[in-house]
Amino acid sequence: KPIIQIRNLMKSYKLGGETIHALNNVSIEIESGDFLAIIGPSGSGKSTLMNMIGCLDRPQSGTYLLDGKDIGKMNDNQLAVIRNQKIGFIFQNFNLLTKLSALENVELPLLYAGIPTKERRERSIESLDKVGLKERARNLPTQLSGGQQQRVAIARALAGNPSILLADEPTGALDSKTSQEILFLMKELNELGHTIILITHDLMIAKQANRMVSIQDGQLQENGGELFGNF
Ligand code: ADP
Ligand code: ADP
């Protein structure tokens, strides 16, 4: 059974007298273990879809089942619990706390989740090891390169043992060589069984996923559609 089942999802914004359909009848199923890229230009609905998949928002109409749970029926507290359990977020700008070490950054969500100190530390070190940064555990973000900071952010996402890694333009702040290294890491993690959803406007990045869908004016098309027909 797919880990994500989205059916006829709608999300619109009212802007002045105009209605913008940010998501227009979106349907998609994502299997556990997939590495999916969602590609689209600015304003196509990527952030809106990411907020939906990441359980930061609920559908206005249509259904979203995550691990069989109907996200549209959850209240805000239930949504927060699901989000913390199921989703590991990775952002363009890493979102690391600058006064905390790499290890402390990775530990922070586990601290909030009430995981005891010893287990917290063990899981965080294990996560840093997975991204090849164990020996940098004591470094502050400012002592790390952009690519290393993104690895720490990926370790933080992994530490919570989420069902899905949801990456929003994870290479957007990195040069092309470093971007490629981050992509290799994500491929490795996918091969270890992690489900990855990667949102990007960069075709060279999106092409490296196992499956690509494009979003254009709030509508999804498999294989990149006519916009990216050479996939
Ligand atoms: P992307 O992430 O691909 O740039 P978004 O999901 O941010 O696209 O936006 C999709 C569409 O919805 C755009 O036309 C955008 O202007 C509009 N939109 C997004 N958020 C809001 C909002 N809070 N109010 C009004 N319109 C919005
Ligand atoms: P953008 O793509 O517009 O630069 P971000 O990638 O920083 O925005 O964030 C995307 C969405 O995720 C936003 O709605 C933001 O509020 C939310 N968000 C940011 N940080 C976290 C977090 N640590 N946990 C959960 N949601 C977050």
Side-chain angles (χ1 to χ4, degrees):
K1 188 151 128 255
I3 190 160
I4 285 180
Q5 295 171 282
I6 286 174
R7 206 150 293 156
N8 305 119
L9 207 65
M10 301 290 291
K11 172 83 186 182
S12 49
Y13 300 105
K14 285 226 167 14
L15 203 59
E18 214 190 338
T19 303
I20 296 164
H21 297 291
L23 295 179
N24 192 356
N25 207 29
V26 164
S27 299
I28 187 169
E29 296 200 339
I30 303 171
E31 301 293 330
S32 184
D34 257 1
F35 185 174
L36 171 73
I38 300 171
I39 183 167
S42 179
S44 58
K46 296 190 299 299
S47 296
T48 306
L49 183 57
M50 140 118 190
N51 287 346
M52 207 63 89
I53 291 174
C55 302
L56 293 155
D57 202 358
R58 273 178 295 260
Q60 282 166 343
S61 70
T63 53
Y64 174 20
L65 302 185
L66 172 57
D67 262 345
K69 293 197 168 64
D70 190 343
I71 297 305
K73 296 209 166 92
M74 307 270 162
N75 65 35
D76 286 354
N77 288 333
Q78 292 169 319
L79 220 53
V81 170
I82 296 249
R83 191 160 62 232
N84 291 333
Q85 286 175 349
K86 307 269 183 198
I87 313 279
F89 289 93
I90 300 164
F91 302 99
Q92 175 168 355
N93 296 314
F94 324 134
N95 290 7
L96 300 177
L97 294 181
T98 52
K99 297 216 158 86
L100 299 185
S101 70
L103 181 64
E104 289 163 340
N105 266 287
V106 175
E107 279 188 292
L108 200 57
L110 300 179
L111 177 70
Y112 289 140
I115 311 284
T117 315
K118 189 161 173 284
E119 185 186 342
R120 213 160 67 213
R121 182 114 325 175
E122 282 169 5
R123 278 167 66 173
S124 300
I125 289 172
E126 194 185 318
S127 282
L128 280 170
D129 198 21
K130 267 195 186 173
V131 303
L133 276 187
K134 199 171 148 189
E135 68 287 358
R136 298 302 206 115
R138 299 288 159 195
N139 285 184
L140 294 172
T142 50
Q143 298 171 314
L144 301 170
S145 70
Q148 288 171 331
Q149 289 183 54
Q150 190 58 295
R151 284 171 190 269
V152 173
I154 292 170
R156 177 182 58 191
L158 286 171
N161 201 18
S163 310
I164 295 166
L165 289 176
L166 184 55
D168 185 14
E169 298 281 3
T171 62
L174 304 173
D175 63 57
S176 59
K177 180 168 171 284
T178 311
S179 296
Q180 195 51 56
E181 287 166 10
I182 293 296
L183 249 292
F184 282 139
L185 173 61
M186 294 180 100
K187 283 190 210 187
E188 261 176 52
L189 293 172
N190 177 245
E191 275 158 24
L192 289 173
H194 294 281
T195 307
I196 301 181
I197 301 174
L198 165 65
I199 296 172
T200 183
H201 67 271
D202 184 339
L203 184 58
M204 296 312 285
I205 294 292
K207 270 181 163 175
Q208 300 183 56
N210 295 338
R211 177 181 172 202
M212 179 166 89
V213 298
S214 72
I215 182 165
Q216 180 81 347
D217 297 327
Q219 293 183 301
L220 284 192
Q221 275 188 295
E222 199 72 34
N223 292 324
E226 58 192 41
L227 195 57
F228 302 104
N230 57 346
F231 181 58

